[in-house]
């Protein structure tokens, strides 16, 4: 059994889908924890948006999943450049805080998409 997941469906298979030291598969970014500058968890990556023309990640939508996973989730758009991966935390660090999530977060991911920075 290979150490990595291999996609054997493409014309030039095999294709690595796990990532490398510099690349990460999109499904591994979604769900990754997001921390504030104080290293307190503020949420997780709900999804991220890729520019169709350039292929660059524009921003991520961070979700707090509600209080203790219960209740209404809040969503906040954060520029991709604002996230820095911190291996010791196993997640991304950003300038956002729990207060920002509470005050500026939207009630749906679709509403968050309409947010303008």
């Amino acid at each position: 059994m290979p150490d990595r997941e291999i996609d054997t469906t493409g014309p030039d298979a095999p294709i690595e889908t796990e990532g490398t030291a510099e690349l990460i598969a999109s499904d591994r970014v979604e769900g990754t924890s997001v921390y504030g500058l104080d290293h307190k968890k503020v949420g997780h990556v709900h999804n991220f948006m890729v520019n169709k023309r350039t292929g660059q990640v524009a921003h991520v939508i961070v979700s707090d999943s509600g209080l203790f996973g219960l209740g209404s989730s809040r969503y906040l758009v954060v520029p991709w450049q604002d996230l820095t991966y911190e291996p010791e935390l196993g997640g991304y660090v950003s300038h956002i805080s729990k207060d920002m999530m509470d005050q500026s977060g939207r009630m749906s991911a679709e509403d968050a998409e309409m947010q303008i920075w």
Side-chain angles (χ1 to χ4, degrees):
M1 178 175 280
D3 290 340
R4 299 180 202 151
E5 181 180 333
I6 304 294
D7 180 359
T8 58
T9 61
D12 299 317
I15 298 171
E16 289 190 36
T17 59
E18 279 296 303
T20 66
E22 295 297 318
L23 300 173
I24 188 167
S26 60
D27 63 336
R28 296 188 71 165
V29 174
E30 293 176 357
T32 301
S33 294
V34 176
Y35 299 89
L37 295 174
D38 59 2
H39 289 189
K40 291 183 180 177
K41 186 174 177 181
V42 295
H44 67 275
V45 176
H46 174 74
N47 63 15
F48 59 93
M49 304 304 291
V50 177
N51 183 300
K52 290 180 184 180
R53 297 180 196 272
T54 67
Q56 300 297 308
V57 175
H59 59 265
V60 300
I61 297 178
V62 176
S63 172
D64 67 0
S65 296
L67 183 61
F68 304 114
L70 304 170
S72 299
S73 296
R74 305 290 286 184
Y75 299 88
L76 188 68
V77 175
V78 179
W80 180 248
Q81 303 89 311
D82 189 55
L83 297 172
T84 303
Y85 187 74
E86 179 57 57
E88 291 177 12
L89 294 173
Y92 295 97
V93 174
S94 174
H95 78 284
I96 63 174
S97 65
K98 204 64 164 159
D99 286 342
M100 287 179 74
M101 289 295 294
D102 292 341
Q103 294 171 7
S104 301
R106 305 292 191 230
M107 296 307 288
S108 74
E110 292 80 20
D111 288 344
E113 263 307 299
M114 301 307 293
Q115 206 172 353
I116 299 174
W117 278 81

